[in-house]
Amino acid sequence: MLKRVFDIIGAITVLFLASPFFIMVSLASLLFFGRPIFFRQDRPGLNGAIFKMIKFRTMSNARDVDGHLLPDDVRLASYGKFLRSTSLDELPELWNVIKGDMSLVGPRPLLVSYLPLYDEKQLRRHEVRPGITGWAQVSGRNALSWEQKFALDIYYVDHQSLWFDMKILWLTLWTIINRKGISADDNVTMPIFKGTKNGK
């Protein structure tokens, strides 16, 4: 209950303080990408319940002659890279926090298609609400392997506390300033998770 109160107060406060950035990013996204300016996608939350996560778009909808979306590295322009490196694309997720879909701190919500690929231990990351930031994000972000990220997620599940959340939030600011671990080697963000038994 205390964590939930902290999330609501924190999300409303940050949303208020960051409102000028929210407006500027909205206008810039409209200029660079057009409509819609938001990216919405189903993600698994607490106990695997599916919710609609919302972010600012960081990629164009450029397609090939057959109508298929071009590769991520082609659709991710400089503006999109800037949003990701500064984490400004995550600002709309504060609304998910207010709604109760997410927390300020917790394991990052991943793709629904990954759910059948987790082993029993990895599934434990859904014992808490997913977060805008988390222990894995301040410990290497996308430069970590999937197994390393999942291990850090489970560590958070087993050791969560208000003080731990405050530490992670503070480290998140430092991570954003340094802009480290934004992308994995040879990938725009992270390679697709194929399951622990099928590769990292």
Side-chain angles (χ1 to χ4, degrees):
M1 181 63 68
L2 182 60
K3 179 178 174 65
R4 180 68 187 133
V5 172
F6 178 77
D7 281 341
I8 294 174
I9 294 175
I12 292 175
T13 300
V14 174
L15 195 57
F16 174 75
L17 295 176
S19 57
F21 295 101
F22 200 100
I23 294 172
M24 287 189 293
V25 172
S26 296
L27 294 175
S29 296
L30 188 62
L31 176 65
F32 280 97
F33 297 131
R35 296 178 183 274
I37 63 174
F38 296 117
F39 170 76
R40 294 178 174 86
Q41 188 176 57
D42 287 342
R43 296 292 175 95
L46 179 63
N47 298 320
I50 307 302
F51 71 96
K52 191 76 70 175
M53 189 184 74
I54 179 172
K55 301 173 63 174
F56 280 118
R57 282 178 60 194
T58 57
M59 294 186 184
S60 71
N61 287 327
R63 299 174 182 270
D64 59 23
V65 293
D66 296 318
H68 301 119
L69 286 172
L70 295 176
D72 289 354
D73 58 343
V74 176
R75 295 187 294 120
L76 183 64
S78 297
Y79 172 67
K81 292 179 181 178
F82 169 76
L83 289 184
R84 291 192 178 194
S85 66
T86 57
S87 294
L88 287 172
D89 62 319
E90 312 282 357
L91 282 177
E93 291 173 37
L94 291 168
W95 176 242
N96 287 122
V97 175
I98 295 172
K99 287 175 58 184
D101 299 325
M102 295 177 63
S103 175
L104 291 176
V105 179
R108 284 293 297 168
L110 302 175
L111 299 178
V112 175
S113 59
Y114 290 173
L115 284 174
L117 302 178
Y118 297 140
D119 60 29
E120 185 176 344
K121 185 175 182 180
Q122 291 166 350
L123 275 172
R124 294 193 59 224
R125 67 194 311 276
H126 295 294
E127 292 179 6
V128 298
R129 285 187 178 89
I132 294 179
T133 185
W135 190 226
Q137 279 61 54
V138 300
S139 301
R141 211 169 176 180
N142 288 326
L144 300 173
S145 70
W146 281 115
E147 278 62 34
Q148 289 172 320
K149 294 177 73 170
F150 293 146
L152 291 167
D153 287 342
I154 303 308
Y155 180 90
Y156 174 80
V157 171
D158 290 335
H159 298 84
Q160 60 178 314
S161 69
L162 186 58
W163 292 112
F164 195 16
D165 281 8
M166 293 176 68
K167 175 182 178 179
I168 291 173
L169 289 171
W170 173 254
L171 291 174
T172 296
L173 293 176
W174 181 250
T175 300
I176 292 173
I177 292 173
N178 287 334
R179 301 190 185 186
K180 291 183 177 180
I182 298 169
S183 302
D185 293 339
D186 302 322
N187 285 273
V188 174
T189 52
M190 279 291 291
I192 295 174
F193 178 61
K194 300 179 181 179
T196 301
K197 295 180 180 179
N198 298 320
K200 300 181 180 180

